[in-house]
Amino acid sequence: MDWQPFLLSVKLATLATGLLLPLMILAAWWISFGGPWKVAIRALLTLPMVLPPTVMGFYLLTALSPTSFVGGFIERVFSLRLVFSFPGMLIATLIISIPFLLNPLLSGFESLPRSLTEAARILGKNRWIILGRVQLPNMIPSILTACVLTFAHALGEFGVILMIGGKIPGKTLVASMAVYDLVETMDYSGALRYSLVLTGAAFAVLASITYLERRSRRTV
Amino acid sequence: MIREMKIEVSKTLFTQEGSRRLEFDLQIKAGELVGIFGASGSGKTTLLRMIAGLAAPDEGSIVVDGCTWFDSIRHINLSAESRCVGFVFQDHNLFPNMTVEGNLRFSLRHGFPDIIEEVLQVLGLSELRARKPSQLSGGQSQRVALARTLVNQPHLLLLDEPFSSLDWSLRWRLQNDLLDWHRRFGCTTLLVSHDLLELTRITSRIIHLGETVLNADELDEAAVLYAKMSQNIRSQEHSFSYSGVGKSKDLTYS
């Protein structure tokens, strides 16, 4: 069995989760302060979760292609073609993963009693100290949930990254696409092996995160 | 220490019974321990929140030692972070991720860690220093909440029903702790409570929020009871003044 698609899937999911987490913590924190514009911004950032993958894939393919402003600019400046490449797939994964991180984090911020923040404010602590010392340590279960949802979703993502990355073996062929390829070629036993590994990996991630989440709830 | 504080604020309160207007006009002198008394929904907590900077009055001003904390006409509203008050919340609000000692260390505004040991000792918390708030009883949590505020030796201490969830003996002990601390540092203090007996025991002045005014008999009863019970509290001669809507009364008992 070729492990390359799995390694690529794990690399993609890990990078997407790791790169997006700090940005989404800041975004969720900012949105949690409230305000009329933030409702619209929250809805906009949640769109990738409800739009069909083909629509998202089409938007991204158009935006990242060398003939577009963004894709053309990146190709000229960094000599990097985003379509049918790993960086392009990563950008697509980052964008479609936003709601999977943002929503649990927002719930985390919103579920913290406002009085905790007020107690820290009375003690003269600024917003950054309150974020780092009070809010984030008390919403670890939400952070873990956000990470596992994003990682698991990125691991199994198919539609959008197929449109952006194609399925070039060794370059952009991830595990979910490999299953699709094997089914197309009627290699059901191969598809089953890949599917079982993907299922096992997803289960292991979910179980370990659930364990960590329970432990963090006990220690807080 | 705060030399003088002038509060003249009004705010519309929205309660289950409808909206009502809270109007408050008070001058507090250095080192006073003032009680705020009133029924649920009378605006006691809102008043403390306005003084602390956690809620803005609709109109009025708050001036402390000549420094304007709030002025609705001049659009001045000093942030809660800058007011340097101590606030003990009704539900304690300890930081769950920190130990007792961690809560105190985090609270310290200035670098005098020796005070932490002193406060832990005075409030009998030394043995609980490594515990998380979830491992504390209600009374212990309350003491930690008080300790967390006292480590900064605030010029103004705001206490929102600090003893309401405690049993009688613990309440008595913490009242004594508070009085000891007040005698020692002379920190100007506002204590909110719906327990008139508690207020007559430890405060020197009671402000009554609400529409009903206590009659002299009710005050007499409370004050005499505590004057008898609290022989070592404040002084042998227990005195306080009471002001309610349209009524003011100074009482002295021995």
Side-chain angles (χ1 to χ4, degrees), chain A residues 114-116 118-126 129-130 133-134 137-138 218-220, chain B residues 49 52 80-81 85 87 89 93-98 106-109 132 134 148 152:
Chain A
R114 198 180 61 168
S115 50
L116 269 190
E118 288 181 344
R121 284 182 62 204
I122 289 286
L123 294 166
K125 309 300 173 192
N126 66 40
I129 292 177
I130 295 172
R133 299 283 308 276
V134 177
N138 286 303
R218 272 205 304 273
T219 50
V220 165
Chain B
R49 289 175 62 81
E81 295 89 321
V85 302
F87 198 129
F89 295 84
N93 287 340
L94 300 177
F95 304 116
N97 57 311
M98 301 176 197
F106 179 70
S107 306
L108 203 60
R109 280 174 185 264
K132 290 274 183 76
S134 58
R148 189 175 68 175
N152 286 316

Side-chain angles (χ1 to χ4, degrees), chain A residues 48 51-72 74 81-84 87-98 153 157-165:
Chain A
L51 280 177
T54 45
V55 173
M56 278 307 296
F58 171 69
Y59 285 150
L60 287 167
L61 193 61
T62 311
L64 301 181
S65 77
T67 52
S68 73
F69 175 75
V70 178
I74 289 173
R81 179 161 289 197
L82 292 176
V83 287
F84 307 121
M89 278 188 1
L90 180 60
I91 289 173
T93 310
L94 287 173
I95 290 169
I96 58 171
S97 298
I98 286 173
H153 178 260
E157 174 54 32
F158 177 72
V160 177
I161 54 172
L162 176 67
M163 289 178 79
I164 300 295

Side-chain angles (χ1 to χ4, degrees), chain A:
Chain A
M1 194 165 77
D2 182 12
W3 289 95
Q4 182 64 30
F6 290 109
L7 293 177
L8 210 55
S9 286
V10 170
K11 186 178 163 190
L12 190 65
T14 309
L15 277 174
T17 309
L19 290 173
L20 211 52
L21 180 63
L23 291 175
M24 285 305 106
I25 284 176
L26 293 179
W29 181 52
W30 181 68
I31 291 172
S32 71
F33 295 141
W37 278 103
K38 291 170 185 174
V39 176
I41 289 168
R42 184 175 182 174
L44 187 72
L45 292 175
T46 310
L47 267 182
M49 197 156 78
V50 291
L51 280 177
T54 45
V55 173
M56 278 307 296
F58 171 69
Y59 285 150
L60 287 167
L61 193 61
T62 311
L64 301 181
S65 77
T67 52
S68 73
F69 175 75
V70 178
F73 175 78
I74 289 173
E75 189 160 325
R76 275 198 308 279
V77 176
F78 300 106
S79 305
L80 182 69
R81 179 161 289 197
L82 292 176
V83 287
F84 307 121
S85 70
F86 184 79
M89 278 188 1
L90 180 60
I91 289 173
T93 310
L94 287 173
I95 290 169
I96 58 171
S97 298
I98 286 173
F100 294 93
L101 266 170
L102 185 72
N103 287 320
L105 289 172
L106 258 174
S107 302
F109 277 112
E110 286 165 355
S111 65
L112 285 178
R114 198 180 61 168
S115 50
L116 269 190
T117 314
E118 288 181 344
R121 284 182 62 204
I122 289 286
L123 294 166
K125 309 300 173 192
N126 66 40
R127 283 182 166 186
W128 292 101
I129 292 177
I130 295 172
L131 174 69
R133 299 283 308 276
V134 177
Q135 290 177 296
L136 291 181
N138 286 303
M139 51 181 273
I140 287 172
S142 301
I143 296 172
L144 289 174
T145 305
C147 288
V148 73
L149 271 178
T150 309
F151 185 86
H153 178 260
L155 201 64
E157 174 54 32
F158 177 72
V160 177
I161 54 172
L162 176 67
M163 289 178 79
I164 300 295
K167 34 183 185 169
I168 306 163
K171 201 175 162 199
T172 62
L173 181 74
V174 294
S176 55
M177 293 179 200
V179 175
Y180 182 76
D181 259 6
L182 291 166
V183 171
E184 264 198 327
T185 57
M186 309 282 277
D187 182 0
Y188 290 133
S189 61
L192 179 65
R193 279 199 299 277
Y194 272 81
S195 300
L196 286 175
V197 172
L198 268 180
T199 309
F203 178 80
V205 171
L206 283 172
S208 55
I209 293 293
T210 308
Y211 169 73
L212 287 174
E213 193 183 314
R214 280 185 158 208
R215 216 176 69 163
S216 73
R217 278 188 205 278
R218 272 205 304 273
T219 50
V220 165

